[in-house]
């Protein structure tokens, strides 16, 4: 009887640990980059919507490169999103009080993607806090839309170019 319990526990542990190893082998990162502008006419302490171009995913090719397909993708989460002012060079985020990014597609409703409040005034780049939302349908789509909402703490004297680098963690089943 004792041997059966020991064997059962051993099998359970092997299966459980094995699943984690398989998921680890079938996990990869998809990176996207988008640039948008913040105009110098933004009002202070009010939420402002920033136009952001659509992001083409090319996800089917990325899935194929990682030996899987869209139908086998089990889980997609935002791993990281970093923002940096690219023009003018050396500009900090001192003007920015808070920021929220949203994601949507033509077939999927908009959801919050990431946000950051109380942005340090000396930061030349910032890393937003991702939500825990499942993003499978958004990343599997041929393109998605980003919407940015900001609140400024100081007036901008010139238009800024901002680059957003997004990294999605994808877990899929093998082909």
């Amino acid at each position: 009887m004792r041997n059966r319990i020991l064997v059962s526990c051993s099998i359970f542990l092997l299966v459980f640990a094995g699943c984690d190893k398989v998921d680890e082998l079938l996990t990869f990162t998809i990176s996207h980059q988008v640039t948008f502008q913040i105009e110098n006419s933004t009002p202070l302490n009010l939420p402002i919507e920033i136009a952001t171009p659509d992001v083409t995913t090319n996800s089917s090719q990325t899935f194929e490169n990682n030996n899987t397909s869209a139908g086998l993708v089990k889980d997609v989460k935002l791993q990281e999103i970093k923002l940096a002012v690219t023009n003018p060079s050396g500009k900090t985020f001192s003007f920015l009080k808070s920021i929220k990014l949203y994601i949507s597609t033509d077939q999927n409703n908009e959801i919050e993607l990431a946000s950051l409040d109380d942005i340090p005034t000396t930061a030349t780049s910032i890393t937003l806090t991702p939500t825990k939302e499942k993003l499978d349908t958004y990343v599997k789509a041929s393109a998605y839309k980003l919407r940015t909402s900001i609140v400024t703490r100081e007036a901008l004297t010139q238009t800024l170019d901002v680059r957003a680098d997004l990294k999605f963690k994808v877990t899929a089943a093998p082909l």
Side-chain angles (χ1 to χ4, degrees):
M1 177 72 170
R2 189 175 167 151
N3 284 341
R4 285 185 187 171
I5 293 173
L6 184 60
V7 169
S8 296
C9 287
S10 297
I11 290 172
F12 175 77
L13 286 173
L14 283 173
V15 168
F16 182 72
C19 289
D20 286 345
K21 290 293 181 191
V22 169
D23 277 353
E24 192 177 298
L25 291 172
L26 299 171
T27 299
F28 55 94
T29 301
I30 293 178
S31 298
H32 294 145
Q33 190 177 84
V34 64
T35 302
F36 58 93
Q37 289 190 325
I38 301 175
E39 300 292 328
N40 61 350
S41 60
T42 56
L44 299 177
N45 293 318
L46 293 173
I48 304 299
E49 304 300 314
I50 305 296
T52 309
D54 289 0
V55 178
T56 303
T57 64
N58 197 19
S59 57
S60 58
Q61 183 62 48
T62 304
F63 296 148
E64 187 177 311
N65 292 346
N66 286 280
N67 300 318
T68 193
S69 67
L72 298 173
V73 170
K74 298 190 306 186
D75 190 37
V76 178
K77 299 257 170 120
L78 181 63
Q79 185 174 3
E80 180 181 75
I81 181 166
K82 287 186 178 184
L83 302 180
V85 177
T86 58
N87 189 35
S89 65
K91 176 70 175 160
T92 68
F93 282 98
S94 62
F95 67 93
L96 196 57
K97 186 175 187 177
S98 65
I99 186 167
K100 290 185 180 193
L101 262 72
Y102 300 88
I103 189 171
S104 66
T105 68
D106 291 337
Q107 294 78 32
N108 299 290
N109 292 333
E110 180 179 84
I111 59 171
E112 187 174 325
L113 186 62
S115 64
L116 187 62
D117 294 318
D118 301 320
I119 296 165
T121 57
T122 58
T124 56
S125 70
I126 55 176
T127 302
L128 279 59
T129 304
T131 64
K132 302 291 184 205
E133 297 285 341
K134 284 188 70 160
L135 302 169
D136 305 25
T137 55
Y138 300 91
V139 174
K140 287 179 189 180
S142 60
Y144 58 81
K145 297 171 179 46
L146 292 177
R147 182 174 65 85
T148 305
S149 176
I150 64 168
V151 176
T152 58
R153 67 166 60 105
E154 66 183 44
L156 289 172
T157 57
Q158 62 192 118
T159 298
L160 304 176
D161 294 333
V162 177
R163 183 186 70 235
D165 294 304
L166 298 96
K167 291 184 181 177
F168 298 94
K169 181 180 175 185
V170 179
T171 303
L175 283 176

